[in-house]
């Protein structure tokens, strides 16, 4: 389907009875109801038909989410927005149509809230794909979900959605919340951010940060991936050199050639100060990137000062998205350093010296 036809048909597909039914199926049972008190089992075919009519006439108005404080592990509080059941159906219907479209657009570096691309898939890429990483760059986005700029997000969506669909998403973004501890106060509304707890919040975050993925993969990765392999140090290259004693042994026992080479290698690398590759090789660089929702890591092989330049480039690009960086939580680690935590796991680069 070409873009023009897609834009004409999209809203009708979103609000169809069939798609609203699929949206209802995406909602969960036995969860806390929103402001209206409705739950999933009470949504009948007639109610879906009425919802379809409201959406078709564009009279549908989402209700403010119920805002609930949730204690964070390690201290602090985050707020969860609990939408009304009807609004969840609309969110689910949008997700039903947005997901297959953007799965064809998102890059392989993106994980989280995508089919078959969870935490384990992201960690597997790091474990098996990142080689000899000198530095791990952790950039923490300050309250990403709460700070997503509506105008920039809707500008991005404009390329893929027709105007009625954009208006529907705009309504869901700007509806705001009600604090259950102060129901009479409606003075605070969301002007930025996607409510955490919304069915479409994760995919909207991925859509928004797709620009970051494109920037890093098209601008930074080509710039900081240079050469095929590091040059070896002269000492490492000479580790198999034979002295007179070695030559005497091989002259008497030639079948020991491989065993002697293995023994000489292991003796060389048993010195913890040895270096096989030239760490200052200016003809070689490597950069890796993985993002899980708003949590991402950069792996870099090269000098520390260039790792800092990469960090600065990313911070500057996030500024163009009107996102800020938590400087206290952001850090450049040595690859072999302890305490690098990502997606609930500790990461550390280990050298393997021995020939088995």
């Amino acid at each position: 389907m070409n873009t023009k036809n897609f834009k004409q048909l999209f809203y009708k597909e979103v609000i169809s009875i069939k798609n609203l039914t699929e949206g209802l199926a995406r909602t969960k049972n036995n969860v806390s109801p929103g402001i209206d008190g409705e739950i999933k089992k009470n949504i009948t075919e007639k109610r879906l038909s009425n919802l379809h009519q409201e959406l078709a006439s564009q009279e549908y108005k989402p209700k403010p989410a119920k805002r609930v404080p949730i204690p964070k592990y390690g201290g602090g509080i985050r707020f969860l927005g609990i939408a009304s059941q009807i609004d969840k159906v609309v969110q689910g219907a949008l997700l039903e149509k947005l997901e297959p479209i953007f799965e064809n657009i998102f890059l392989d570096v993106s994980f989280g809230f995508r089919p078959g691309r969870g935490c384990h898939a992201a960690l597997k890429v790091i474990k098996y794909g990142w080689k000899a990483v000198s530095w791990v760059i952790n950039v923490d986005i300050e309250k990403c979900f709460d700070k997503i700029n509506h105008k920039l997000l809707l500008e991005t969506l404009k390329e893929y959605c027709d105007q009625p669909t954009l208006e529907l998403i705009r309504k869901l973004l700007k509806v705001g919340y009600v604090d259950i501890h102060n129901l009479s106060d409606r003075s605070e509304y969301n002007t930025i951010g996607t409510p955490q707890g919304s069915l479409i919040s994760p995919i909207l975050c991925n859509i928004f940060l797709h620009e970051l993925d494109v920037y890093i993969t098209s601008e930074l990765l080509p710039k900081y991936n240079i050469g095929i392999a590091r040059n070896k140090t002269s000492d490492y290259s000479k580790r198999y050199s034979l002295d007179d004693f070695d030559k005497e042994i091989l002259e008497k026992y030639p079948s020991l050639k491989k065993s002697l080479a293995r023994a000489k290698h292991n003796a060389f690398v048993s010195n913890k100060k040895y270096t096989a590759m030239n760490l200052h090789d200016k003809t070689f660089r490597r950069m890796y990137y993985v993002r899980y929702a708003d949590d991402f890591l950069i792996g870099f092989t090269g000098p520390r000062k260039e790792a800092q330049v990469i960090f600065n480039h990313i911070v500057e690009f996030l500024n163009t998205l009107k996102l800020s960086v938590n400087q206290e939580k952001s850090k450049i680690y040595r690859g072999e350093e302890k305490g690098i935590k990502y997606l609930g796991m500790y990461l550390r680069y280990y050298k393997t010296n021995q020939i088995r």
Side-chain angles (χ1 to χ4, degrees):
M1 184 182 296
N2 63 43
T3 304
K4 183 177 180 180
N5 289 337
F6 164 74
K7 287 189 175 182
Q8 291 174 342
L9 296 173
F10 188 64
Y11 187 67
K12 293 180 181 179
E13 292 182 1
V14 170
I15 68 171
S16 69
I17 295 292
K18 179 178 181 299
N19 196 56
L20 291 174
T21 304
E22 295 291 339
L24 175 62
R26 279 184 176 261
T27 66
K28 296 180 180 179
N29 295 309
N30 303 318
V31 294
S32 178
I35 294 298
D36 60 357
E38 283 195 86
I39 56 177
K40 183 175 181 177
K41 68 179 183 179
N42 293 339
I43 306 299
T44 62
E45 291 183 11
K46 183 178 179 181
R47 184 67 185 90
L48 287 180
S49 178
N50 291 339
L51 175 60
H52 168 73
Q53 294 299 326
E54 291 176 24
L55 289 164
S57 62
Q58 296 190 356
E59 294 178 354
Y60 162 77
K61 293 182 180 179
K63 291 180 171 59
K66 181 167 65 175
R67 195 184 194 211
V68 181
I70 305 294
K72 294 172 63 176
Y73 178 78
I77 292 175
R78 70 181 180 91
F79 289 95
L80 187 67
I82 303 176
S84 71
Q85 183 60 46
I86 286 297
D87 294 340
K88 289 178 184 176
V89 172
V90 176
Q91 293 168 10
L94 273 167
L95 184 58
E96 190 71 17
K97 292 300 179 182
L98 287 172
E99 191 171 73
I101 292 167
F102 281 95
E103 276 304 306
N104 291 323
I105 296 168
F106 292 150
L107 304 181
D108 288 341
V109 294
S110 165
F111 296 83
F113 307 106
R114 296 182 57 190
R117 300 180 67 81
C119 290
H120 294 292
L123 291 168
K124 187 176 180 180
V125 166
I126 295 173
K127 182 176 181 179
Y128 296 107
W130 293 24
K131 305 297 182 183
V133 170
S134 304
W135 308 98
V136 176
I137 305 168
N138 179 24
V139 184
D140 185 272
I141 302 176
E142 184 82 45
K143 297 182 179 179
C144 180
F145 281 87
D146 296 334
K147 299 295 184 180
I148 289 176
N149 184 277
H150 291 173
K151 183 178 179 181
L152 293 178
L153 175 61
L154 292 169
E155 281 294 321
T156 299
L157 286 167
K158 188 183 293 185
E159 183 178 348
Y160 308 100
C161 303
D162 58 359
Q163 191 59 35
T165 305
L166 283 176
E167 289 302 319
L168 178 59
I169 295 173
R170 190 195 306 273
K171 287 179 181 178
L172 292 169
L173 285 173
K174 294 186 177 296
V175 66
Y177 61 86
V178 169
D179 190 333
I180 61 173
H181 299 295
N182 188 10
L183 294 175
S184 62
D185 184 5
R186 292 286 290 113
S187 60
E188 291 191 59
Y189 287 83
N190 286 335
T191 56
I192 56 175
T194 59
Q196 294 193 48
S198 165
L199 290 177
I200 59 172
S201 184
I203 195 170
L204 293 181
C205 178
N206 275 334
I207 291 169
F208 194 71
L209 292 181
H210 175 69
E211 296 300 317
L212 175 66
D213 299 342
V214 171
Y215 168 69
I216 290 177
T217 56
S218 63
E219 298 288 335
L220 298 185
L221 289 183
K223 183 177 180 180
Y224 290 99
N225 278 287
I226 306 170
I228 298 174
R230 275 176 169 169
N231 293 320
K232 293 180 174 62
T233 62
S234 58
D235 288 343
Y236 186 79
S237 299
K238 296 175 182 178
R239 70 193 183 284
Y240 294 124
S241 299
L242 301 177
D243 56 27
D244 292 340
F245 180 69
D246 298 329
K247 292 175 182 178
E248 287 181 14
I249 293 176
L250 290 181
E251 185 175 347
K252 189 172 183 180
Y253 303 104
S255 62
L256 294 179
K257 184 176 181 180
K258 288 185 178 179
S259 297
L260 180 60
R262 184 186 303 114
K264 290 182 73 66
H265 170 85
N266 289 339
F268 178 85
V269 300
S270 64
N271 181 353
K272 293 182 179 180
K273 295 183 179 180
Y274 100 95
T275 302
M277 302 297 182
N278 179 6
L279 300 180
H280 303 289
D281 184 357
K282 295 182 179 180
T283 66
F284 180 82
R285 296 288 185 275
R286 280 294 178 271
M287 179 178 168
Y288 307 94
Y289 168 63
V290 165
R291 179 177 66 81
Y292 184 94
D294 62 332
D295 198 355
F296 65 93
L297 280 187
I298 300 289
F300 180 61
T301 301
R304 173 65 170 76
K305 64 180 181 180
E306 289 185 20
Q308 184 64 54
V309 172
I310 292 170
F311 180 94
N312 295 341
H313 281 316
I314 292 172
V315 171
E316 290 171 6
F317 185 82
L318 288 172
N319 286 338
T320 68
L321 297 179
K322 300 187 184 300
L323 294 173
S324 56
V325 171
N326 186 325
Q327 295 290 345
E328 291 184 2
K329 293 183 179 180
S330 300
K331 185 178 177 180
I332 300 176
Y333 298 88
R334 289 186 177 275
E336 69 274 14
E337 189 173 339
K338 294 181 180 179
I340 307 173
K341 194 173 183 180
Y342 186 61
L343 303 181
M345 299 291 289
Y346 284 102
L347 310 178
R348 191 179 180 191
Y349 172 65
Y350 286 94
K351 293 180 181 179
T352 302
N353 299 331
Q354 303 293 312
I355 292 182
R356 304 295 181 183

